[in-house]
Amino acid sequence: MKSIRYIIRAAIIAGLYTVLTYFLKPISYGPVQVRVSEALTLLPLIESSAVPGLFVGCFLANLLGGLGPWDVYGGSLITLLAAYITSKMPNPFLGALPPIVLNALGVSYYLSLLYGMPYAITAAYIGLGEFIAVGLLGIPLVFFIKRTGLIRYFDKTD
């Protein structure tokens, strides 16, 4: 059974993801997006509670986004899978690959259908947005957190 600290950390991460996504709504949803909250998808490298936290945060953000069940369930499950795979990666550079690739390939599939856009173009837009959020924001965020000790509990077994 997970400790209360683990659940609280997961809830904080979920809340951060949801709030960042929703308050940056103009750039967080649709076939062309830079979901800044995706920078948090590298947290599973240093905090195990980030895996369920990101899933719940994405679920809530997508529920608020208004794109329907495809985004609520599909996007959230893609985030869960990406977070889990990221948690197994040895460093932030390799850890950035699962969220970038899975979102570019998976989220683009249903967004291309919802918006009537060609899949390849949608995948390129989503992939670029993920690269900006995860690669250019998330990787420096992980190094900053590690350097400053912002997250004090690095025990991935808690």
Side-chain angles (χ1 to χ4, degrees), residues 2-18 43 47-58 60:
K2 298 294 180 185
S3 74
I4 190 72
R5 280 194 333 231
Y6 180 94
I7 294 168
I8 291 170
R9 290 191 306 258
I12 290 169
I13 292 166
L16 284 171
Y17 188 101
T18 304
L43 290 179
E47 177 56 49
S48 63
S49 65
V51 174
L54 290 167
F55 170 71
V56 171
C58 185
L60 294 172

Side-chain angles (χ1 to χ4, degrees), residues 25-35 65 67 71 107-108 110-112 114-115 117 122 125-126:
K25 190 174 185 173
I27 63 170
S28 294
Y29 300 97
V32 179
Q33 62 177 259
V34 177
R35 191 176 272 200
L67 289 178
D71 204 30
V107 171
S108 297
Y110 65 81
L111 287 181
S112 70
L114 290 172
Y115 286 93
M117 292 179 61
T122 309
Y125 283 141
I126 297 298

Side-chain angles (χ1 to χ4, degrees), residues 84-152:
Y84 175 76
I85 295 170
T86 295
S87 74
K88 305 301 181 191
M89 293 295 178
N91 62 58
F93 300 102
L94 291 176
L97 293 177
I100 293 171
V101 171
L102 291 175
N103 279 288
L105 298 177
V107 171
S108 297
Y109 173 73
Y110 65 81
L111 287 181
S112 70
L113 296 173
L114 290 172
Y115 286 93
M117 292 179 61
Y119 173 75
I121 292 172
T122 309
Y125 283 141
I126 297 298
L128 178 61
E130 283 292 309
F131 175 77
I132 292 167
V134 180
L136 301 182
L137 299 175
I139 291 172
L141 176 65
V142 167
F143 285 117
F144 174 77
I145 289 170
K146 284 184 170 185
R147 188 176 73 247
T148 62
L150 192 59
I151 295 177
R152 301 250 184 253

